[in-house]
Amino acid sequence: MQQSPVVMTDSFSNLSLAEPLARAVAEMGYETMTPIQAQAIPVVLTGRDVMGAAQTGTGKTAAFSLPLLQRLLKHENSSTSPARHPVRALVLLPTRELADQVAQQVKLYAKYTNLRSAVVFGGMDMKPQTLELKRGVEVLVATPGRLLDHIEAKNAVLGQVEYVVLDEADRMLDIGFLPDLQRILSYLPKQRTTLLFSATFSPEIKRLANSYLKDPVTIEVARPNETASTVEQHFYSVTDDDKRRALKQIVRQRGITQAFVFVNSKLGCARLARSLEREGLKTTALHGDKSQDERLKALAAFKAGEVDLLVATDVAARGLDIKDVPAVFNFDVPFNAEDYVHRIGRTGRAGASGLAVTFVSGSDGRLVADLEKLLKKKVDLEAIEYEDDRPRGRINDGRRAWREAGELGDPRDALDAPRPREREREREARPSRPAAAPRDPFFDQPYQAPATEQPPAWEQGAKPAPSRVSANIKSKRKVPALFKAQ
Ligand code: AMP
């Protein structure tokens, strides 16, 4: 197996970074480089093109930002004239949240330089962005759709770009940004450095690289089926009705201060957040039905520590950089095995240790089998010993439903618990594109579900294939802890 993305290697002091950058890095508390940084920074400093396979959480933002800023510093100037601050580096990302995060990091790294940076993304007023662009910025972070709007309005001129970064390139292609990317790249000078980062090197990504990168150096630090070795992973066999109880018990027993809780549907997300909140846990929900403003507020509250549990769907949480979350709960086993890796990538980042807990219920056999295939490891299920050890099980009559839900939360939650067919309808993770798709407020483009995000056939009615895992679930035998730190 390849090296984990979080293993630290060389010290930043070996890099001879310019003083303003070294100062900023020291202030952020970085001492050693992550593997992607150790490999990419020296290459980018030489001006070569790079094709990097690295996920969010591996330190890739600093891996491209620091050498890029170092090179831009050669022609740094303190003039206030906009003409003296043309766009020299362009960073493209698929979502506004990601763009915002990367822009914030760039600002921190460039804090002690005269280089200016700005971010533009859709769903926000063009005017403030226009004013910033007109003032002149050397580093422009953007989502493709909104950048094209600014190019068309002649607010952004890209004729002097020396560096372009295509970050999360696989996601950009998934969303359908290829035509926009092609147009944007056609405005850039041919003589430039191009850096492409992607979680996978799919044939589409390779085609993109062949068209736009010149003799790139390939850097690979973590495969998408690898999970960080610092994450302690547990899979618990739990009935649907016991999940909230199990969650609360683990949070309490482990003394967990903050956690992400992933669910598969928007409705499930809202319902769970509501009921945890009622039970006195500081909780907020992040899902596709929330307005952009609500999402940013939820995120800010979580980052500020005002909220303990962030209950989220995969689509809403994709790519968010919230570091040092002590734990991730998979309240539902993800529909896509790769989402498991993305989800638990939010804990155990940049060297910190983390806990990932997955609740597996009786109908999840097929999903767990997919997960085992991706991780190339057997998933062993553990039983939970409840502190309050009365018999549990499916809610099968009105009185019991009322009583149990009363113990776990609001009785109304049990009464409006979704039946399987309703669950199917409320799933958010796999939206199908309507004929005339509105602009998705989360991305700045109509959402186009990638082929890989379609639900497997068995979810649409066919019976799940029998699996060894579901046999384990039935037997509820206690098995040794799963593949812990390796
Ligand atoms: P990224 O993969 O760029 O989203 O980075 C993930 C997180 O790791 C960010 O919050 C960074 O601030 C942090 N980080 C990046 N590089 C380092 C480093 N060398 N040491 C410690 N933390 C880092």
Side-chain angles (χ1 to χ4, degrees):
M1 183 173 281
Q2 268 180 300
Q3 207 175 22
S4 148
V6 288
V7 177
M8 298 298 189
T9 49
D10 293 320
S11 160
F12 275 101
S13 51
N14 299 340
L15 267 184
S16 22
L17 279 178
E19 193 280 329
L21 298 177
R23 188 152 35 122
V25 164
E27 206 173 277
M28 304 221 12
Y30 301 177
E31 286 166 6
T32 41
M33 288 187 273
T34 64
I36 184 79
Q37 291 164 357
Q39 291 183 58
I41 293 177
V43 177
V44 181
L45 282 173
T46 67
R48 289 275 306 266
D49 284 4
V50 167
M51 186 164 166
Q55 292 167 263
T56 310
T58 56
K60 79 175 141 85
T61 313
F64 64 74
S65 306
L66 289 171
L68 192 148
L69 291 168
Q70 170 109 343
R71 286 186 60 104
L72 294 185
L73 273 176
K74 283 195 184 137
H75 304 287
E76 180 197 30
N77 73 80
S78 55
S79 157
T80 52
S81 158
R84 304 294 305 275
H85 297 274
V87 179
R88 296 172 58 200
L90 179 64
V91 184
L92 295 171
L93 292 122
T95 68
R96 63 186 72 186
E97 273 88 354
L98 277 172
D100 203 29
Q101 275 165 204
V102 167
Q104 281 178 28
Q105 283 204 55
V106 168
K107 271 213 159 46
L108 289 172
Y109 300 136
K111 189 172 166 188
Y112 297 111
T113 72
N114 289 313
L115 298 169
R116 298 174 181 174
S117 63
V119 59
V120 298
F121 46 71
M124 297 293 215
D125 192 354
M126 292 269 285
K127 272 193 215 125
Q129 298 177 356
T130 303
L131 286 177
E132 247 194 309
L133 291 173
K134 297 270 184 198
R135 216 170 56 88
V137 290
E138 275 93 353
V139 184
L140 179 57
V141 182
T143 52
R146 179 50 66 95
L147 178 61
L148 279 172
D149 293 342
H150 280 295
I151 293 173
E152 274 154 24
K154 303 221 169 0
N155 301 330
V157 180
L158 304 179
Q160 293 188 59
V161 167
E162 298 160 44
Y163 294 89
V164 62
V165 184
L166 307 176
D167 197 5
E168 306 266 337
D170 51 341
R171 293 268 177 232
M172 289 205 273
L173 296 192
D174 279 355
I175 293 168
F177 275 140
L178 182 62
D180 287 359
L181 289 180
Q182 288 168 327
R183 268 188 68 199
I184 292 167
L185 290 165
S186 74
Y187 292 115
L188 307 184
K190 294 263 172 300
Q191 195 65 34
R192 60 160 199 260
T193 298
T194 307
L195 313 174
L196 180 153
F197 291 91
S198 174
T200 57
F201 286 161
S202 63
E204 293 76 29
I205 289 293
K206 285 186 183 148
R207 259 202 304 279
L208 185 71
N210 284 342
S211 310
Y212 294 103
L213 273 67
K214 276 189 225 120
D215 188 23
V217 177
T218 301
I219 296 173
E220 239 172 309
V221 294
R223 298 207 159 276
N225 60 347
E226 284 173 3
T227 50
S229 60
T230 46
V231 179
E232 180 188 335
Q233 300 171 64
H234 292 277
F235 286 67
Y236 291 108
S237 171
V238 181
T239 66
D240 283 332
D241 303 325
D242 279 337
K243 285 181 176 180
R244 273 186 299 176
R245 184 187 191 210
L247 172 74
K248 284 195 300 173
Q249 180 168 313
I250 295 167
V251 165
R252 193 173 53 246
Q253 282 176 344
R254 293 259 188 169
I256 292 165
T257 49
Q258 273 206 313
F260 257 117
V261 183
F262 283 98
V263 288
N264 287 351
S265 74
K266 283 193 276 195
L267 211 64
C269 176
R271 181 180 289 124
L272 178 64
R274 231 177 19 240
S275 82
L276 293 173
E277 183 76 40
R278 276 196 222 108
E279 289 169 40
L281 292 161
K282 285 189 279 171
T283 311
T284 194
L286 200 69
H287 57 73
D289 278 351
K290 294 243 168 186
S291 70
Q292 178 61 14
D293 202 39
E294 285 172 321
R295 288 183 200 199
L296 293 175
K297 276 197 188 127
L299 208 56
F302 189 74
K303 280 187 170 174
E306 292 155 18
V307 161
D308 300 333
L309 298 176
L310 186 66
V311 185
T313 58
D314 294 293
V315 172
R318 190 151 288 160
L320 299 179
D321 169 34
I322 299 179
K323 59 179 175 175
D324 304 334
V325 179
V328 167
F329 287 87
N330 295 310
F331 198 78
D332 300 319
V333 181
F335 291 125
N336 277 330
E338 282 190 8
D339 279 335
Y340 176 80
V341 182
H342 290 138
R343 288 177 177 189
I344 78 162
R346 296 170 190 292
T347 186
R349 301 180 110 187
S353 64
L355 171 73
V357 171
T358 303
F359 295 144
V360 179
S361 73
S363 55
D364 292 333
R366 173 63 186 265
L367 300 182
V368 176
D370 286 350
L371 201 56
E372 290 182 315
K373 220 158 91 192
L374 182 83
L375 298 173
K376 297 194 184 78
K377 285 173 192 154
K378 183 182 170 301
V379 163
D380 285 326
L381 290 169
E382 297 169 67
I384 288 194
E385 292 189 5
Y386 292 103
E387 286 168 347
D388 164 15
D389 216 12
R390 276 165 299 146
R392 318 290 304 177
R394 289 206 70 75
I395 294 175
N396 51 14
D397 71 66
R399 256 179 312 158
R400 183 148 167 243
W402 191 270
R403 193 186 71 231
E404 291 205 353
E407 289 159 7
L408 296 170
D410 189 308
R412 283 169 300 178
D413 284 348
L415 295 183
D416 65 5
R419 275 178 266 281
R421 206 172 283 149
E422 285 166 345
R423 279 200 192 120
E424 192 69 44
R425 255 185 266 130
E426 64 188 46
R427 273 209 331 259
E428 175 195 42
R430 262 129 287 288
S432 60
R433 194 181 177 187
R439 286 203 152 212
D440 185 313
F442 183 45
F443 305 113
D444 67 351
Q445 275 277 305
Y447 182 79
Q448 202 170 10
T452 52
E453 288 205 349
Q454 292 305 319
W458 65 268
E459 267 180 38
Q460 295 167 335
K463 280 215 171 99
S467 106
R468 173 171 50 73
V469 177
S470 44
N472 276 355
I473 298 168
K474 277 189 206 115
S475 73
K476 274 214 170 188
R477 66 190 164 86
K478 195 161 184 181
V479 283
L482 177 79
F483 43 94
K484 288 192 183 169
Q486 49 210 294

